[in-house]
Amino acid sequence: MTDAVPRIEFRGVSFAYPARPGGALPAPEPAETPALRDVSFALPAGVLAVVGGRNGAGKSTLALAANGTIPHLVRGTWGGEVLVNGVPPGTPRDRAHEIGVVFQDFEAHLVSSTVELEVAFPLENAGLDPAMQRERVRETLALVGLAGFEGRVPAELSGGEKQRLAIAAAIALEPAVLVLDEPLTDLDPLGKSQVLAVVGRLKAMGMTVLLVEHDPQAFLGADRLLVLDAGRLVFDGAPGALLRDPTRCRDLGLPAWPPAEVALALGVPVEDPAIDAVAAAIQARRPANPVSAGLAKGTILLSSSPLLEFAGLTSGYSGGAIVLHDISLSVRAGECVALLGQNGSGKTALAKHAVGLIRPRAGSLTVKGRPVRSWKLAELSRIVGYVFQNPDHQIFSDTVRDEISFGARNLGLAGAELEARVKESLEAVGLGGREEEDPFSLTKGERQRLAVASLLAYRPEAVIFDEPTTGLDAAEARRMMDFIATLNARGMTVLLITHAMWAAAEYASRIVVMAEGRIVMDGAAHDVFAREAELARLALSPPPAAALANRLGVRALGVAELAGVLEGRAP
């Protein structure tokens, strides 16, 4: 093989799933519609290529085709060929030494009892001698930042650590190509940065990485951006060439890059879409910005009494260590409060207290002025509802109608009133007329809204949303957050647990940041996201629009607000 031979090459690849998937894996795209259509590209050694596109564009199918899972293990109509180091791949097992893959559900990759055995598993299957196995395990764990974790149990690792362990197992045989299918989706900001750092190290070592991802910040560090739309490769080039064109990004189902949107609104041409470069371009065009000294102030409008009141609350899971320390927090009716922090900071534990799933060990929690211990769970559920991060963890019925009516029926609703609530809830979430459909035939975004509808049927006063944008493409995520904003505007109290900084910035009036079971920041969104240095110490960062505002000496959270401030139209 010479340097001219691509590490991986797609030549006119097309694939359509059968009407009834018959392979080893379920079809991630709709049946009977081609998932890939005449896709061609070639990647040389040491290239990081990000694959983007809306959900259903064919990204996961491309990942399955890269290592031969399609067509060898998943049946369908196949055309074209995929070459790895100039040779068509066989089955995934045959070519594991040349191409490693970590699919979106990375936890499904982990099968061993310790970290060391997890990485050694593919080496043992390949027949490496024990001494070489031990050396390769040591080198690989050091490469992904897990040195010293050899004896740890994979199930006890954090999400980011599990993701890096799955990558370690995939690269233990030193493949030429690594394919990662949305590795950042379920990770907190620290976990994302750690995984991207591993990808950078692999690229520097000469490995070719194909990274499927929605986040435009991941695009910035790529050498190539491949965008799929309806199974076709519609863009193949430098990421900056697309990110600086917000209109085209939206047309292709990608999130528009906020700094480029601001520059476009101001009529400032942008060559480099990086935040610092955009800030410099704007400052060069507006050196005497008349509003740069005046900061837009965030305000929080509060009702007279709290809906939830935590006072010196200390708590932990049954038989475990303390996870919340001396929490004092008031959430008032009608607020939209975002809870931010790394995994393990206590966000979900705090939220579970609000719905009675965990009882405090010390301190107190009152709901509408009553101690939480005095509420029966059925009564409390009428006040506070909880939408889990994965809607499939709470959806179980055969039809949409049954799913929505289940909770309301258990609370005593029946007959015409129950039917009216079902219809009302479906209309509220945009699923009207779909009562008889199978919930699991819906898209991820629709299943999220169905989970919300099941709560709306019994009209709680507050809803806790745990990572409502996870796994959604740009358009679906925006629709979900707009829907939550509509509920909040109608008077519903919203507690938003999220790693999506843009969602917290643009939709929450108040930000609460947690670290190691304590509240470390609590204030208006404008104020919290202006404290960039403090956020950095917590491994957090403001969203791109707010980061650009910080560099320009103003406070703003979204594109329209920042453009208005810079043009003198915002207070």
Side-chain angles (χ1 to χ4, degrees):
M1 185 186 74
T2 68
D3 290 341
V5 177
R7 285 293 178 88
I8 185 167
E9 182 177 8
F10 276 57
R11 293 182 177 177
V13 172
S14 297
F15 184 74
Y17 293 97
R20 294 180 179 274
L25 298 175
E29 277 82 25
E32 300 180 330
T33 300
L36 295 176
R37 307 169 191 245
D38 194 28
V39 173
S40 297
F41 65 88
L43 302 177
V47 165
L48 168 58
V50 172
V51 181
R54 67 185 95 237
N55 284 348
K59 303 184 301 298
S60 291
T61 301
L62 185 145
L64 291 169
N67 79 326
T69 298
I70 291 176
H72 293 287
L73 300 181
V74 177
R75 294 189 305 178
T77 304
W78 169 265
E81 62 180 347
V82 177
L83 306 179
V84 178
N85 288 332
V87 179
T91 66
R93 179 172 180 173
D94 293 338
R95 302 305 294 270
H97 64 288
E98 290 190 303
I99 181 164
V101 179
V102 179
F103 293 114
Q104 187 171 349
D105 183 8
F106 55 85
E107 293 194 42
H109 287 261
L110 306 180
V111 297
S112 299
S113 57
T114 68
V115 166
E116 182 177 39
L117 291 176
E118 191 69 50
V119 181
F121 183 71
L123 302 174
E124 185 174 6
N125 284 342
L128 271 69
D129 68 76
M132 184 174 290
Q133 286 185 41
R134 287 191 292 272
E135 180 64 16
R136 189 73 63 82
V137 167
R138 185 189 65 78
E139 293 174 348
T140 305
L141 288 176
L143 180 62
V144 300
L146 293 178
F149 282 63
E150 287 81 358
R152 296 277 297 275
V153 178
E156 297 176 355
L157 303 180
S158 71
E161 290 165 349
K162 289 176 182 176
Q163 180 68 269
R164 285 183 282 144
L165 177 57
I167 292 173
I171 65 173
L173 290 171
E174 299 181 343
V177 179
L178 175 65
V179 179
L180 301 173
D181 191 359
E182 297 195 30
L184 310 181
T185 296
D186 294 322
L187 302 186
D188 60 22
L190 179 60
K192 289 180 180 181
S193 66
Q194 291 171 334
V195 169
L196 288 175
V198 170
V199 169
R201 290 195 288 272
L202 296 175
K203 172 184 176 301
M205 293 170 58
M207 189 175 292
T208 297
V209 181
L210 199 61
L211 172 66
V212 178
E213 189 49 56
H214 285 301
D215 188 345
Q217 288 187 284
F219 300 173
L220 287 172
D223 302 300
R224 293 262 292 279
L225 177 58
L226 309 175
V227 181
L228 294 171
D229 193 26
R232 299 187 186 279
L233 184 61
V234 293
F235 180 87
D236 179 358
L242 188 55
L243 288 181
R244 64 174 179 251
D245 187 346
T247 301
R248 191 176 181 197
C249 283
R250 285 190 288 266
D251 289 344
L252 297 180
L254 299 178
W257 179 234
E261 288 188 286
V262 174
L264 179 65
L266 298 175
V268 175
V270 170
E271 291 297 322
D272 182 352
I275 293 175
D276 287 341
V278 174
I282 292 173
Q283 288 172 328
R285 290 286 293 268
R286 297 170 176 271
N289 182 1
V291 299
S292 61
L295 301 180
K297 299 295 182 182
T299 58
I300 303 173
L301 300 177
L302 301 178
S303 63
S304 58
S305 59
L307 181 70
L308 302 172
E309 179 81 25
F310 298 82
L313 185 143
T314 295
S315 186
Y317 293 103
S318 177
I322 298 295
V323 296
L324 295 176
H325 303 269
D326 194 27
I327 298 292
S328 293
L329 174 71
S330 292
V331 178
R332 299 181 180 272
E335 277 195 279
C336 181
V337 179
L339 284 180
L340 307 182
Q342 304 299 335
N343 289 341
S345 62
K347 305 185 302 299
T348 298
L350 181 66
K352 286 182 176 179
H353 280 81
V355 292
L357 296 178
I358 307 175
R359 299 292 187 180
R361 296 186 184 179
S364 65
L365 166 61
T366 59
V367 178
K368 298 190 72 174
R370 281 177 51 186
V372 71
R373 294 180 185 276
S374 72
W375 292 90
K376 295 180 180 178
L377 281 178
E379 295 176 321
L380 192 57
S381 66
R382 291 179 180 268
I383 307 300
V384 186
Y386 198 115
V387 180
F388 292 92
Q389 177 176 346
N390 186 344
D392 298 341
H393 289 169
Q394 62 192 103
I395 292 174
F396 59 88
S397 299
D398 292 333
T399 68
V400 167
R401 181 194 307 278
D402 289 344
E403 186 65 41
I404 295 175
S405 61
F406 179 82
R409 185 182 292 113
N410 285 344
L411 293 177
L413 294 177
E417 183 180 9
L418 177 60
E419 185 61 29
R421 292 282 186 93
V422 169
K423 182 177 180 180
E424 171 190 283
S425 300
L426 280 175
E427 293 295 337
V429 301
L431 294 176
R434 304 180 69 173
E435 288 87 345
E436 305 309 320
E437 293 188 26
D438 180 348
F440 293 99
S441 70
L442 305 180
T443 67
K444 170 77 179 296
E446 290 169 341
R447 296 199 302 277
Q448 284 275 30
R449 286 186 277 141
L450 175 60
V452 177
S454 66
L455 298 180
L456 297 182
Y458 51 87
R459 297 175 181 169
E461 297 179 37
V463 175
I464 299 167
F465 293 90
D466 196 346
E467 298 291 350
T469 62
T470 294
L472 305 184
D473 64 24
E476 289 175 327
R478 181 65 65 174
R479 283 194 294 270
M480 174 55 66
M481 290 309 306
D482 285 345
F483 171 64
I484 291 173
T486 298
L487 296 178
N488 184 234
R490 293 174 180 170
M492 181 175 286
T493 304
V494 172
L495 199 60
L496 179 67
I497 302 173
T498 185
H499 294 315
M501 298 296 115
W502 66 269
E506 296 183 39
Y507 290 88
S509 58
R510 179 179 169 200
I511 306 293
V512 174
V513 182
M514 299 188 67
E516 298 180 346
R518 303 179 189 276
I519 293 176
V520 294
M521 299 174 74
D522 182 357
H526 284 88
D527 298 328
V528 169
F529 284 118
R531 296 160 65 179
E532 196 161 342
E534 294 176 64
L535 290 172
R537 287 194 288 272
L538 299 168
L540 299 173
S541 60
L548 179 60
N550 292 342
R551 284 155 179 76
L552 294 171
V554 300
R555 287 189 189 175
L557 299 173
V559 170
E561 182 185 18
L562 178 53
V565 168
L566 295 174
E567 291 181 331
R569 292 186 283 103

